[in-house]
């Protein structure tokens, strides 16, 4: 999914840009095809205006989306410098890339409801999917899609997960062992996890299922399900109806390696939030680092070495490249690729 930050760009501990491509509009969202064949990027008018205002030092509440934010989505092949427009809407369009291959889901806005889910292959529209556009999660092999399937209870949490099979085109629904609002997948083995953080009146729970959503066990070694590429590490949720303290665990031992305060808990202490694990290198993550009222920076953090490999101040739109060896940054109308510093292998 798209990761967004604001203001001008400065880099520390970083090599020169490997490449730069001029784009037809100001980038406000960026998603990468996992096979490296190209990228999808979005340009949303109101989002771009908000970013410029923040860069100019104007105080405004954070942009959270509007009912009137015209958005265009483009496909840019790795072998080309010419982007092709593939979708437009009068509201925001969400892009969710598959973990394998060159497919993505575009969630197109509708007047009533969560949206219409459309499958794309690179820049080509394949078909509309018969699924609810809420809580969309690819399976690890990209052959199934998990989505909100309904509930037998009256609560914020729900207990039925929908499963769409891309090969057969069929939808089935599976009742979960415990109600949840969060579904995630281990990219290494395809297991599905429901996660519910601890909050007043309720204990934390993490439940493990196979890729067909058959119950395996309740997990007691760790809390959460934001897994690294090989699932060696897992992070708990940092937000659940509000900011939460969160941890990073070693999944083999259950040992908590790092513990972080909730965002904004103490202005005199730095706060961190996980943006995205590296798709190839197990110990690397992109994280946001904020201290009080100062502008946030994005860091490439090595969990294994407990070190920051590089910092990026004001990266407007950022994500990992498909090979995991560099980051892609959308800065205004430019798409830039930066190599991460050399490091020991995982």
């Amino acid at each position: 999914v798209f990761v967004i930050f604001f203001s001008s760009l400065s880099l520390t501990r970083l090599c020169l840009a490997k490449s730069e491509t001029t784009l037809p509009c100001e980038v406000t969202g960026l998603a990468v095809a996992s096979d490296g064949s190209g990228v999808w990027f979005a340009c949303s008018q109101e989002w771009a205006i908000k970013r410029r205002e923040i860069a100019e030092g104007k105080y405004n509440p954070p942009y959270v989306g509007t009912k009137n934010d015209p958005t265009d989505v483009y496909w840019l092949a790795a072998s080309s410098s010419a982007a092709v427009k593939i979708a437009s809407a009068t509201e925001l369009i969400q892009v969710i890339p598959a973990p394998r291959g060159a497919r993505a889901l575009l969630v197109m806005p509708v007047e009533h409801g969560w949206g219409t889910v459309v499958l794309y292959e690179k820049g080509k529209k394949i078909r509309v999917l018969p699924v609810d556009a809420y809580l969309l999660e690819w399976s690890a092999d990209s052959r199934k899609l998990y989505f909100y399937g309904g509930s037998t209870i009256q609560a914020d949490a729900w207990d039925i997960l929908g499963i769409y099979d891309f090969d057969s085109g069929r939808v089935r629904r599976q009742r979960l062992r415990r109600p949840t609002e969060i579904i995630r997948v281990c990219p290494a083995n395809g297991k599905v996890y429901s996660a519910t953080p601890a909050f007043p009146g309720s204990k934390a729970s993490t439940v493990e299922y196979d890729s067909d959503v058959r119950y395996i066990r309740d997990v007691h070694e760790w809390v959460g399900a934001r897994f690294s590429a090989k699932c060696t590490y897992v992070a708990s949720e940092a937000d659940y109806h509000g900011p939460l303290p969160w941890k990073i665990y070693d999944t083999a031992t259950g040992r908590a390696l790092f513990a972080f305060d909730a965002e904004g808990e103490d202005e005199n202490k730095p706060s961190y939030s996980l943006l995205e694990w590296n798709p190839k290198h197990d110990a690397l993550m992109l994280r946001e680092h904020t201290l009080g009222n100062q502008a946030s920076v994005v860091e490439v953090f090595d969990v294994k070495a407990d070190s920051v490999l590089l910092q990026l101040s004001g990266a407007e739109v950022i994500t990992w490249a498909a090979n995991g060896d560099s980051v892609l940054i959308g800065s205004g109308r430019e798409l830039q690729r930066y190599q991460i510093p050399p490091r020991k292998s995982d």
Side-chain angles (χ1 to χ4, degrees):
V1 295
F2 295 145
V3 180
I4 313 296
F5 287 89
F6 302 100
S7 79
S8 59
L9 176 67
S10 64
L11 307 169
T12 61
R13 280 183 280 177
L14 189 61
C15 301
L16 294 176
K18 182 179 180 182
S19 62
E20 187 172 284
T21 303
T22 301
L23 303 176
C25 52
E26 289 189 52
V27 182
T28 54
L30 184 63
V32 176
S34 62
D35 66 355
S37 59
V39 299
W40 299 272
F41 64 89
C43 302
S44 300
Q45 294 179 18
E46 293 298 322
W47 211 324
I49 292 171
K50 177 62 66 175
R51 185 182 63 213
R52 288 197 297 271
E53 289 176 346
I54 294 176
E56 294 168 1
K58 299 177 181 178
Y59 175 78
N60 281 288
Y63 176 83
V64 293
T66 72
K67 284 293 184 181
N68 184 25
D69 193 346
T71 302
D72 296 320
V73 175
Y74 294 79
W75 165 256
L76 177 64
S79 58
S80 173
S81 60
V84 178
K85 186 188 294 186
I86 63 172
S88 295
T90 58
E91 300 177 26
L92 291 176
I93 302 173
Q94 184 182 11
V95 180
I96 306 172
R100 292 189 183 182
R103 289 186 166 190
L105 305 175
L106 268 64
V107 181
M108 304 298 296
V110 294
E111 186 174 355
H112 301 289
W114 290 312
T116 299
V117 182
V118 185
L119 177 65
Y120 275 77
E121 179 93 26
K122 300 180 180 179
K124 182 180 178 181
K125 180 179 178 180
I126 305 299
R127 62 181 179 269
V128 175
L129 303 186
V131 304
D132 289 325
Y134 178 58
L135 196 142
L136 300 172
E137 187 78 21
W138 288 91
S139 65
D141 60 7
S142 299
R143 297 178 65 180
K144 291 190 285 287
L145 179 67
Y146 307 110
F147 63 97
Y148 169 79
S151 186
T152 65
I153 60 175
Q154 296 293 323
D156 289 337
W158 41 268
D159 62 352
I160 299 176
L161 187 65
I163 307 157
Y164 175 78
D165 186 287
F166 284 96
D167 294 332
S168 67
R170 295 176 180 174
V171 172
R172 67 181 181 87
R173 286 171 168 78
Q174 182 72 36
R175 188 170 180 179
L176 300 175
R177 180 60 66 98
R178 301 186 190 284
T180 189
E181 293 180 66
I182 300 168
I183 293 291
R184 301 195 187 277
V185 174
C186 167
N189 57 29
K191 290 180 179 178
V192 177
Y193 293 81
S194 68
T196 302
F199 60 95
S202 178
K203 295 182 179 180
S205 72
T206 302
V207 184
E208 181 179 279
Y209 304 84
D210 68 13
S211 62
D212 290 320
V213 198
R214 291 184 292 250
Y215 172 79
I216 297 176
R217 67 180 180 122
D218 284 68
V219 178
H220 300 291
E221 294 90 342
W222 67 81
V223 175
R226 296 189 295 170
F227 290 99
S228 62
K230 299 176 185 177
C231 302
T232 302
Y233 309 104
V234 65
S236 61
E237 302 297 326
D239 184 90
Y240 187 74
H241 302 284
L244 292 173
W246 61 287
K247 296 180 180 181
I248 299 175
Y249 298 86
D250 182 317
T251 57
T253 65
R255 183 167 65 95
L257 304 176
F258 300 94
F260 304 100
D261 292 332
E263 183 178 357
E265 186 172 292
D266 187 339
E267 290 188 357
N268 296 315
K269 292 183 179 180
S271 65
Y272 300 91
S273 59
L274 168 60
L275 301 178
E276 186 182 1
W277 285 103
N278 188 289
K280 302 295 182 183
H281 303 296
D282 202 38
L284 297 187
M285 67 162 59
L286 287 174
R287 71 178 186 183
E288 183 182 11
H289 176 186
T290 305
L291 179 59
N293 294 322
Q294 299 179 22
S296 63
V297 298
V298 179
E299 299 175 337
V300 173
F301 180 61
D302 187 326
V303 173
K304 186 176 181 178
D306 188 11
S307 65
V308 174
L309 300 183
L310 61 92
Q311 292 181 322
L312 304 101
S313 176
E316 296 172 0
V317 184
I318 183 170
T319 190
W320 292 107
N323 64 7
D325 291 335
S326 57
V327 293
L328 298 179
I329 295 173
S331 179
R333 292 184 174 224
E334 301 293 335
L335 178 63
Q336 303 164 345
R337 179 190 294 265
Y338 293 90
Q339 198 77 17
I340 62 175
R343 54 182 292 278
K344 295 180 180 180
S345 60
D346 294 330

